[in-house]
Amino acid sequence: MLNFDERRGIDPKVQNAVMDQDHFPIIGVGASAGGIEAMRGFFRGVPETLRAAFVVVTHLGREHKSLLPDVLARFTPLKVEAAADGVLVEPGTVYVMPSGFVMGIAGGRLTLTPLGEGRETKPIDIFLTALALDQGERAVGVILSGGDGDGAIGVKAIKEHGGLTLAQTADGYGPETADMPLSSLRTGFVDFGETAERMGDRIAAHVAAAPNALADGVAREFKAELLTEIFAILRRQVGHDFSGYKPSTFGRRLQRRISVVGASGLDGYLKLLRADPAEVGVLFRDLLIGVTNFFRDTAAFEALTTQVIPKLFDARVATDVIRIWVPACSTGEEAYSLAILLREHMLTLADPPRVQIFATDIDERALTVARTGRYPRAYLSAVSPERIAQHFVVEGDSAVVEKAVRDLCTFAPHSVLRDPPFSRLDLVSCRNLMIYLGVEAQQQLMPVLHYALRPRGYLFIGMAENVTRFEDLFETIDKQHRIFQARDAIPPARLRPMSGTDTPILSSAGQPQRRNVTTHAALRHAVETQMLSEFTPAHAVVTRTGEAVHYSSRIGDHLEVVPGQPTRELAAMARKGLRLDLRTALREAIEGNTLVVREGIGVELPDGRFQSISLVVKPLTTPGAIEPLFLVVFKEAAALFEKERQQALEANERDTALQGLERELSVTRERLQAVIEEYETSLEELKSSNEELYSVNEEMQAANEELEASKEETQSLNEELQTMNSELTSKIEAVDQLTDDQATLFEGMNVASVLLTPDLHIRMFTNAAAQIFGLQPSDVGRSLRNFSAPIPLAWLLDEIPTVLAANRPSERTIEGADGARYRVRLMASSRKGGRRPGIVANFTNLLEQE
């Protein structure tokens, strides 16, 4: 049986964005705590041949001046610059988000929005979501080290729009803090968990394969036998049948997985599916990528608001319930859109009826998002500011569905083609599901939706869908906006043939050698037909919902036409005395899928006589049946007898039974009263406990919000400290290099120089000066007058203040005690703003120069 029922896959129209020389990928890199080291590994692993643009988004304090562009420039030969509002993104460039802003992208240009005071932000989610909406398949999301769940919604958006997603796994470059990549990995929307240094090669391989993959996904047709095996693998492992999926859409999603894993065609990918159950799960999730938005096709929702919603509330009182079903609800945007419209209409009524919206899907991950009801602000682009203010609670750059709207919706796992449908519904909103289903699946789906609706209930479908082949089920209300209404008349059952009425009985003059065989076949058919019509018990075939799809001859003895709207429900047409037993037997057989027998049932015939019959209900095994069928047999167990005799027998039995029933009724009433009292007591206790839990929950939420704020501040501070530490390390390295260069320079110069303080204490000296004065490295800080010198030094104390005051050099030639003549040059060494003035004294032996 076909089981797939989701609005899945990429848009049926092939996206125009192709990664070629004119369309390069834009890679969004999200990082937080520990991100410096992770980005070092990432950019060092980017191949030089990769033609792409990089946008780096981190958590920064509002007032912090980021030096991240200077730090990243040391990791990569690419051009690195701080992002500016309106700048056109170009390949070969790394753009870094500045502090105090929230960054987005539109039309290939970066946008910067000032960060409001006290706002909690998820800058990585915000940018990656905007990147997905703007670039589609050219978007690449990379999540590196970080300390919270930022980025998880962003990678979901990129995956939904056909992009590539990666999250960091452990290697020498981190992640130092693994919360961010782990949160993204847990969503199931990450294509690769990879080390930072190997991510560049993954992206380059994907970019190189993407143009061919897209072209193949459109034009290529896979071998039917290979696709059949893939359908079987999916059905066996995940429990859902994709054989009814549109071949073109399934082919595109399949080709994308072949490209992502680098398999050598469909044969190689099939081998991978056989050997790796995890890849089967990944393919299943790729096929379930939902494309859904709030108020998708705004004009259609406006038409629904004016033409349908008011009618749902007509003639309804407060005790009534309006029931709505949203199959294939994905992450809940469509269900919440309907809830908002219904809530707005309910606010205009004095005493509105209750509303129940059943939103179902086979994707548990999507249902988890829907139940949470938290979406990034970028997802609400089609929602007016007034509706956001009324129906959402804005928390920073996220929006949470308001409780009154959330309480209208119930989310549950359900397959519209496999599980029993809901019933007595006023509206079914099944938008953009049929476009992904084949013709057979659509023929199965539409009768299910018609059955689920009340008479004259409404059907709301997608703009690319229609019900042309099902005009016997639905009439058109608004063709332009795809609003239809269920017809009152019950159509013939749309089931495959069960009997062999189309079995050919051939008689051909051109085949005289087979004349006897053909004649015998015709004779056997005639005999079997007569025996079935005259000597077999009356019987009928019903579906699992109890609707008859086949009657035998003489079935009229047990059925009668009921007044009112025509029906095909077998139990409703059963005669008096048989109806209750038939309904009970049907329910037991259908629920247990087993044989059920009821003996000795008295049925009043049209002529007034009574017939005792046995009722048999058993599952019917029919090859090729779309749904389970059940055979109901009415066996005549005894001869007919008169009504008066039956009444006499029944009177005696009735008196005896009546006395027993009265005793049982009295005992039951006493027990019921006791149960009611216990129930009321328990209800009061539950109410009290619920109020206490609600109070505790509010306190926990407040404490959680405070912890989240503290955590964000700590992460921001940690990021700033890491950046400053990196800058300080760089400066220390520069100072060490300068010191080494200075020592080398001094070694290469044969000049006797001594750096002195104004009171002649030594700060630094060269090797040549050490030879003249007999200095050792440990003599730094001692007075030069403590050493034996070939020239007198007392005059220096008088000359140094003059040199410092005038800030001009002074020279003097002095006769040395060793018979040599020395030229002494004094020069002030203090720089502008320096705190420690000094004197550089150069001693030149003139005798050696001669």
Side-chain angles (χ1 to χ4, degrees), residues 113-222:
T113 304
L115 186 61
E117 189 72 27
R119 288 178 59 186
E120 176 192 357
T121 61
K122 299 287 185 182
I124 301 172
D125 276 335
I126 294 168
F127 178 76
L128 293 184
T129 300
L131 181 64
L133 297 173
D134 188 62
Q135 296 295 311
E137 290 185 346
R138 294 196 301 273
V140 178
V142 175
I143 304 299
L144 300 177
S145 176
D148 67 0
D150 196 7
I153 294 178
V155 297
K156 173 182 179 293
I158 289 179
K159 190 68 176 288
E160 286 177 349
H161 290 79
L164 182 71
T165 55
L166 303 95
Q168 184 184 8
T169 56
D171 68 347
Y173 295 101
E176 181 179 317
T177 306
D179 292 353
M180 267 173 45
L182 283 178
S183 295
S184 296
L185 287 167
R186 290 189 185 113
T187 64
F189 291 105
V190 174
D191 288 311
F192 294 109
E194 191 58 272
T195 61
E197 199 168 14
R198 296 180 58 187
M199 285 180 172
D201 291 332
R202 283 284 193 186
I203 297 171
H206 174 76
V207 172
N212 296 331
L214 186 60
D216 288 349
V218 175
R220 184 175 178 182
E221 291 186 2
F222 297 113

Side-chain angles (χ1 to χ4, degrees), residues 410-427:
T410 300
F411 295 95
H414 178 277
S415 171
V416 71
L417 297 181
R418 183 188 64 188
D419 300 324
F422 294 86
S423 60
R424 298 180 293 108
L425 298 168
D426 298 281
L427 169 65

Side-chain angles (χ1 to χ4, degrees), residues 671-720:
R671 292 178 179 175
L672 179 61
Q673 182 61 35
V675 169
I676 291 174
E677 293 175 357
E678 293 176 2
Y679 171 76
E680 290 176 348
T681 302
S682 300
L683 185 61
E684 289 297 327
E685 294 175 354
L686 284 174
K687 287 182 179 179
S688 176
S689 300
N690 185 55
E691 292 173 357
E692 295 175 3
L693 288 173
Y694 187 77
S695 175
V696 171
N697 184 50
E698 289 182 342
E699 295 174 2
M700 293 294 291
Q701 285 180 343
N704 185 53
E705 291 173 358
E706 294 175 0
L707 289 173
E708 288 283 348
S710 300
K711 181 181 179 183
E712 185 71 24
E713 293 173 1
T714 303
Q715 288 173 345
S716 177
L717 179 60
N718 186 43
E719 182 71 23
E720 295 174 9

Side-chain angles (χ1 to χ4, degrees), residues 5 143 380 443 472 544 634 646 759 847:
D5 71 338
I143 304 299
L380 275 64
Q443 289 177 343
D472 57 333
R544 66 184 303 167
F634 304 89
Q646 172 69 15
D759 56 355
L847 182 60

Side-chain angles (χ1 to χ4, degrees), residues 60 66 82-84 96-103 112:
L60 295 174
S66 175
V96 181
M97 184 186 77
S99 59
F101 291 91
V102 175
M103 186 159 61
L112 295 179

